[in-house]
Amino acid sequence: TLFRSGKNWMFNNAKSPQHCEVLAWHLRTRITAEGAHFELRLHLIYLINDVLHHCQRKQARDLLTALQKVVVPIYCTSFLAVEEDKQQKIARLLQLWEKNGYFDESIIQQLQSPALGLNQYQAALIAENADVVQPVKDAFQQQIDTLISQHEEYVNNLKQQIGRA
């Protein structure tokens, strides 16, 4: 089947922790892409489920670890992007993942509350990449402050002109 082919390809190409990370991040990128169709997301999540099962069976720790790092945005984004009837299809996988013990309790908790889980994931990314994010935030804030100052000067000039008229 298609899932077996995909799973086999992943296991054949996940030769190092770095390869596993690239595979997992690619899945995350495809699934969380804006405008990704539900069917694509669901099929890729089913593929991940199949891979998780085999990771556990074959003790493929590197691939399991890589998938653990991206499952929160994958699951939460997919869940939040669709109507309730489609959410149920995704939620069934969470029940399976809990039963099979693929993820630790902290990940399961994030998956059980998708909006909160996604916010926590994003906050963790910002904290993890603070050395890159902070200078951008600072530059953005400086631009805002400059625009506010320019606006206040403009308003004051207008008031003075109106006062003279």
Side-chain angles (χ1 to χ4, degrees):
T1 67
L2 185 59
F3 291 120
R4 188 176 312 131
S5 298
K7 175 198 61 165
N8 289 340
W9 186 91
M10 287 182 70
F11 274 93
N12 290 336
N13 288 283
K15 299 182 185 302
S16 71
Q18 293 79 14
H19 289 130
C20 295
E21 297 273 333
V22 169
L23 287 171
W25 282 101
H26 180 71
L27 285 169
R28 182 196 57 84
T29 301
R30 287 295 309 266
I31 294 170
T32 62
E34 193 172 323
H37 295 285
F38 174 71
E39 291 75 21
L40 171 70
R41 288 178 172 167
L42 189 62
H43 283 108
L44 290 176
I45 292 172
Y46 282 155
L47 172 62
I48 289 170
N49 181 64
D50 203 28
V51 169
L52 287 168
H53 173 74
H54 284 82
C55 281
Q56 198 174 53
R57 235 184 71 225
K58 297 183 178 198
Q59 297 298 311
R61 288 276 154 231
D62 292 338
L63 189 52
L64 180 60
T65 299
L67 290 171
Q68 287 171 337
K69 291 178 184 177
V70 297
V71 73
V72 170
I74 285 172
Y75 179 89
C76 296
T77 300
S78 300
F79 187 89
L80 294 170
V82 295
E83 311 80 49
E84 192 173 330
D85 61 319
K86 292 178 179 176
Q87 287 177 343
Q88 295 310 312
K89 293 179 179 184
I90 299 170
R92 282 188 215 117
L93 285 171
L94 176 54
Q95 294 166 352
L96 191 62
W97 295 346
E98 281 183 85
K99 186 179 101 182
N100 292 329
Y102 297 147
F103 305 111
D104 65 31
E105 187 58 33
S106 67
I107 292 175
I108 293 297
Q109 285 177 354
Q110 288 181 300
L111 300 177
Q112 288 171 335
S113 301
L116 181 61
L118 193 55
N119 285 339
Q120 290 173 342
Y121 173 79
Q122 291 168 340
L125 274 182
I126 289 170
E128 183 180 319
N129 296 292
D131 57 329
V132 175
V133 172
Q134 195 59 48
V136 172
K137 283 175 67 177
D138 292 345
F140 184 72
Q141 187 60 51
Q142 186 176 6
Q143 279 187 311
I144 298 257
D145 292 344
T146 301
L147 290 171
I148 289 171
S149 175
Q150 289 173 350
H151 175 73
E152 288 170 352
E153 285 179 38
Y154 178 73
V155 168
N156 288 335
N157 282 337
L158 281 180
K159 284 180 181 177
Q160 287 175 359
Q161 288 178 11
I162 291 172
R164 287 187 213 136

